[in-house]
Amino acid sequence: MKLLAYFSAFLAETVNLNQTRLGLLEDRVGAITSTLKTDSQIGNLYRTHIPQGSWAHRTIIKPFNNHEFDADFLLHMEEMEDWKPKDYLREVRAAFKRSATYKEKVTKKNRCCRIVYAGDCHVDVVPYITLADGREVIVNYADNEFEDTNPQGFTDWMKEKDGLANGQLRRVIKLLKYVRDYKQTFRVPSVILTTLLGERVQTWHEATRYSDTPTALKTILADLDAWLDLYPLMPPLPDPSCPETTFNHRWNQDQYGNFRNKIKLYSSWVTEAFDEDDKTLSLAAWQRVFGTSFQQPSSVQKSLTAPSGLPTTREARAPYEQYIEEFGFNWKGGHKVRINAQVLPKAGFRHGSLRRLRRVSTFQSLHFTITTDVPEPYDLYWKVRNRGPEATAHGQLRGEITLDEDRSRSRKETTSWKGQHYVEAYIVKDGRVLATDHHDVVIN
């Protein structure tokens, strides 16, 4: 059984970090940045600060057994031509050491300075620089090197996937973080967990596969289990917003192998709890996953359907729009495809990765390619869907699904109409859809 009210109560009372502590976090970050902005040595290098990770994605959970929770933010600094990468981290630490408030709270890590509020939380301050050549980087202190990053792109990707999942992806991530911290049977960095779960969200019957929290949890875990089955050895784990950067250095094969085994086990437990028709037996099965804190709510709880503002069904169909579910294919899943979008060079305009640029102007050329773990041969289908008043007025909402007949595994488009559009790709083999991806295209 779904036990929707039980999930609502469990998230509200046990999993979610309460608003008071989130407000205190914001106050602390404000005080930290104020100290850095007024520092005599590096204050003039401050540009802005950007929440990242669980804080930016709104997936922070209440620490288990009153342990500290953690939050990260990027400290955007001016580039100093004569500084080595490690100098940025060293100088930020020195600034904290000059502060009476923080000198006893600061610890230097490999990529951040950590400010510890004992018994409550720690805040990781990550120096972040935009280099003269446009690269966005953070610092690896031990190797004295810059590492590419795309923080806003990752957050945008996360929001995109959460929207496809009717707002349920964030809840699934929180629940799996809780299972990780409660059971302590597997270890996985939150950024890797977010990536692995987000990549499982597919453009296939989204309204039903992600209709509520227990349904989304069962669906995403089953798809993750199927994908992990393909890889006994840890595969490359690229940043969805920055493909040249991988997260593999944050994990190892033993941790990955154990995670793979535990996901198979917990996916089977979730399916058993979901499919059980007897309420008492279903509750016992859910408690095997989450523990006894998952219990009958003390008051009436709001059902965990899509959050306010997020659709539980698709938007109105465009005149010529098609859906891959209507092509007579069956769903198999278990694989991955990723759309890579490049804005092609044009005099006077920005170009490069659309994930990095986030938006593109009209009358630009886009080049879409894919990467996938589905072995050839397979069929690739594309869908381009426009939105907004301009496309509507010109009868250009599009939405047809077309076969990649020349097997170029690529597609070129021109940005003609302002609006938030999207492109989707579907990998089909032997009459079954094995993987899909979705890429927003914002034209202004």
Side-chain angles (χ1 to χ4, degrees):
M1 298 181 72
K2 294 184 180 182
L3 301 182
L4 293 177
Y6 289 64
F7 270 95
S8 293
F10 181 60
L11 279 162
E13 298 170 9
T14 304
V15 177
N16 294 342
L17 190 68
N18 61 54
Q19 190 57 49
T20 299
R21 295 179 81 177
L22 286 172
L24 182 58
L25 170 63
E26 292 178 0
D27 291 343
R28 285 169 168 168
V29 170
I32 290 170
T33 55
S34 178
T35 294
L36 294 173
K37 284 188 286 186
T38 57
D39 180 73
S40 60
Q41 301 298 311
I42 67 167
N44 62 328
L45 302 184
Y46 173 89
R47 295 180 64 178
T48 188
H49 65 278
I50 306 166
Q52 72 159 358
S54 300
W55 187 24
H57 307 153
R58 295 189 286 120
T59 58
I60 293 181
I61 66 170
K62 193 180 298 181
F64 191 70
N65 280 344
N66 294 317
H67 292 166
E68 295 174 358
F69 73 90
D70 64 278
D72 305 355
F73 74 86
L74 298 172
L75 176 67
H76 199 182
M77 304 175 68
E78 295 283 352
E79 181 183 10
M80 296 293 289
E81 291 184 5
D82 57 341
W83 281 15
K84 297 177 181 178
K86 64 168 53 178
D87 291 334
Y88 292 90
L89 199 56
R90 182 186 291 122
E91 291 299 326
V92 171
R93 177 181 180 274
F96 283 126
K97 284 294 186 181
R98 285 189 288 271
S99 165
T101 303
Y102 298 109
K103 64 181 180 180
E104 301 300 328
K105 290 184 171 69
V106 65
T107 303
K108 182 178 67 61
K109 300 293 186 178
N110 193 38
R111 294 176 178 84
C112 68
C113 287
R114 175 167 294 175
I115 304 298
V116 177
Y117 299 90
D120 184 39
C121 73
H122 59 260
V123 177
D124 289 341
V125 182
V126 184
Y128 159 64
I129 307 97
T130 303
L131 302 179
D133 61 5
R135 288 175 61 203
E136 298 172 83
V137 297
I138 59 174
V139 172
N140 182 318
Y141 187 89
D143 296 336
N144 196 22
E145 293 179 349
F146 288 127
E147 294 179 349
D148 289 318
T149 189
N150 182 12
Q152 190 58 56
F154 191 96
T155 298
D156 289 345
W157 172 84
M158 166 66 188
K159 290 179 179 177
E160 191 177 305
K161 290 291 188 178
D162 192 47
L164 286 173
N166 298 314
Q168 299 298 341
L169 174 60
R170 281 189 172 91
R171 289 168 172 163
V172 171
I173 291 170
K174 287 182 179 181
L175 289 170
L176 265 293
K177 284 184 176 182
Y178 179 85
V179 170
R180 175 194 63 187
D181 297 350
Y182 161 64
K183 290 189 175 296
Q184 298 188 24
T185 55
F186 64 87
R187 294 180 60 191
V188 57
S190 292
V191 68
I192 293 179
L193 184 63
T194 297
T195 299
L196 291 177
L197 295 173
E199 285 181 330
R200 307 288 76 77
V201 174
Q202 305 290 327
T203 55
W204 176 274
H205 285 300
E206 307 98 298
T208 53
R209 281 163 49 86
Y210 314 112
S211 58
D212 52 62
T213 300
T215 301
L217 176 65
K218 174 178 176 285
T219 298
I220 292 173
L221 271 182
D223 286 347
L224 177 57
D225 177 42
W227 183 77
L228 292 170
D229 271 347
L230 299 175
Y231 297 101
L233 299 179
M234 181 171 58
L237 302 169
D239 180 336
S241 64
C242 192
E244 62 272 24
T245 299
T246 72
F247 298 130
N248 292 68
H249 63 279
R250 304 193 185 191
W251 225 7
N252 62 45
Q253 176 58 37
D254 288 343
Q255 292 170 328
Y256 168 80
N258 179 63
F259 174 79
R260 184 171 176 265
N261 292 335
K262 294 304 179 183
I263 288 298
K264 179 171 292 296
L265 176 64
Y266 298 148
S267 177
S268 70
W269 287 4
V270 165
T271 298
E272 178 184 337
F274 187 96
D275 292 344
E276 176 56 61
D277 291 330
D278 182 276
K279 185 174 182 179
T280 300
L281 295 177
S282 179
L283 175 57
W286 283 120
Q287 288 181 337
R288 182 165 61 161
V289 179
F290 299 117
T292 55
S293 294
F294 187 90
Q295 57 187 308
Q296 183 173 352
S298 55
S299 60
V300 176
Q301 295 286 332
K302 188 176 180 180
S303 295
L304 283 182
T305 51
S308 176
L310 287 171
T312 55
T313 58
R314 284 178 166 141
E315 61 193 307
R317 188 170 191 149
Y320 304 105
E321 187 166 10
Q322 298 172 304
Y323 299 121
I324 193 67
E325 298 96 316
E326 300 167 348
F327 276 54
F329 302 131
N330 295 316
W331 172 253
K332 175 67 164 58
H335 284 265
K336 179 173 73 173
V337 60
R338 180 173 293 170
I339 298 171
N340 308 299
Q342 292 287 319
V343 181
L344 299 180
K346 182 178 180 180
F349 292 88
R350 299 187 305 161
H351 64 275
S353 166
L354 183 56
R355 285 279 183 212
R356 284 193 175 279
L357 299 176
R358 302 184 63 203
R359 292 170 174 79
V360 62
S361 303
T362 51
F363 309 115
Q364 296 273 76
S365 295
L366 302 179
H367 186 214
F368 297 92
T369 58
I370 63 154
T371 55
T372 183
D373 58 7
V374 178
E376 292 276 12
Y378 59 80
D379 289 327
L380 169 65
Y381 291 81
W382 293 99
K383 176 175 177 175
V384 178
R385 176 68 155 88
N386 293 332
R387 295 168 167 144
E390 289 189 359
T392 301
H394 289 82
Q396 292 294 320
L397 292 177
R398 300 175 67 179
E400 304 92 335
I401 292 176
T402 58
L403 175 65
D404 177 40
E405 292 184 350
D406 62 4
R407 307 186 75 79
S408 67
R409 308 309 188 215
S410 66
R411 184 180 186 92
K412 288 188 177 179
E413 293 284 339
T414 301
T415 60
S416 300
W417 320 110
K418 295 178 182 178
Q420 184 164 326
H421 319 302
Y422 66 81
V423 172
E424 291 181 346
Y426 319 98
I427 303 292
V428 179
K429 187 168 184 172
D430 299 327
R432 298 181 296 181
V433 178
L434 302 189
T436 73
D437 196 24
H438 173 109
H439 198 308
D440 282 344
V441 179
V442 181
I443 303 174
N444 57 19

